[in-house]
């Protein structure tokens, strides 16, 4: 999928913001996010052999209707080359380090362990610190969950990345 203009990303971000599209109450959940370096060939997008890809996974106890998060590379927004593998019936958009997943059909991501996206960072150096930050998750009733997803970081490696989860 190609990048969306910043104005559209801003509108989508508002719908997934902490106040939610309907201003409904915040939900407190037990959740965490993990990231792992994965082989880019597993992604459903065009990649180069030297690209670095990350799987962004959510572990949540309620259904998810939409997600927004930021990819940071050494404390700067990541230059995302592509994003794919969104759950069925979900669209994925990216730009300026922000990734947004939403369903135009009203579908939900079930509770449990789910891969949200495979993100292609392109050609980035080993040893850089990559973080998933500023995650906002919308529940099926269009309210935002309480922002309990902590930033999750890992160091890019040659073959065996050192990943840590927000629960470590």
């Amino acid at each position: 999928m190609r990048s969306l203009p910043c104005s559209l990303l801003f509108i989508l971000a508002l719908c997934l913001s902490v106040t939610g599209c309907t201003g409904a109450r915040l939900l407190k959940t037990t959740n965490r996010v993990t990231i792992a370096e994965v082989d880019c060939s597993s992604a459903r997008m065009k990649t180069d052999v030297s690209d670095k890809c990350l799987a962004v996974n959510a572990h949540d106890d309620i259904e998810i209707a939409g997600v927004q998060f930021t990819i940071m590379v050494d404390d700067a927004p990541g230059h995302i080359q592509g994003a794919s593998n969104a759950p069925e019936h979900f669209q994925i958009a990216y730009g300026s380090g922000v990734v947004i997943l939403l369903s135009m059909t009203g579908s939900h991501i079930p509770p449990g362990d789910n891969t949200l996206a495979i993100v292609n960072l392109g050609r980035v150096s080993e040893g850089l610190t990559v973080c998933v930050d500023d995650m906002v998750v919308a529940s099926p009733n269009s309210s935002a969950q309480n922002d309990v997803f902590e930033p999750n970081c890992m160091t890019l490696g040659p073959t065996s990345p050192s990943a840590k989860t927000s629960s470590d």
Side-chain angles (χ1 to χ4, degrees), residues 25-166:
R25 64 185 177 83
L26 294 178
L27 302 173
K28 178 77 170 175
T29 64
T30 303
N31 51 42
R32 63 190 171 93
V33 62
T34 59
I35 55 175
E37 194 171 338
V38 296
D39 183 353
C40 289
S41 65
S42 67
R44 295 184 305 257
M45 69 182 131
K46 184 178 177 182
T47 61
D48 187 71
V49 69
S50 60
D51 289 352
K52 297 276 188 183
C53 288
L54 298 177
V56 179
N57 305 296
H59 314 277
D60 210 331
D61 60 356
I62 68 165
E63 290 182 315
I64 296 173
V67 179
Q68 173 185 320
F69 56 88
T70 303
I71 299 287
M72 303 293 286
V73 178
D74 277 355
D75 295 323
H79 183 69
I80 298 172
Q81 299 294 312
S84 71
N85 295 42
E88 187 176 7
H89 304 294
F90 273 74
Q91 291 73 45
I92 190 166
Y94 59 91
S96 303
V98 176
V99 178
I100 297 175
L101 285 91
L102 67 141
S103 173
M104 299 296 200
T105 64
S107 295
H108 305 128
I109 300 168
D113 297 338
N114 296 285
T115 298
L116 298 177
I118 304 292
V119 179
N120 182 352
L121 300 175
R123 296 178 186 181
V124 293
S125 302
E126 295 170 3
L128 294 177
T129 300
V130 177
C131 297
V132 173
D133 201 0
D134 299 328
M135 182 173 275
V136 177
V137 178
S139 69
N141 66 0
S142 298
S143 66
Q145 292 180 184
N146 209 354
D147 192 4
V148 294
F149 280 98
E150 298 291 327
N152 183 297
C153 301
M154 67 174 289
T155 301
L156 294 176
T159 54
S160 57
S162 62
K164 72 175 197 174
T165 67
S166 60

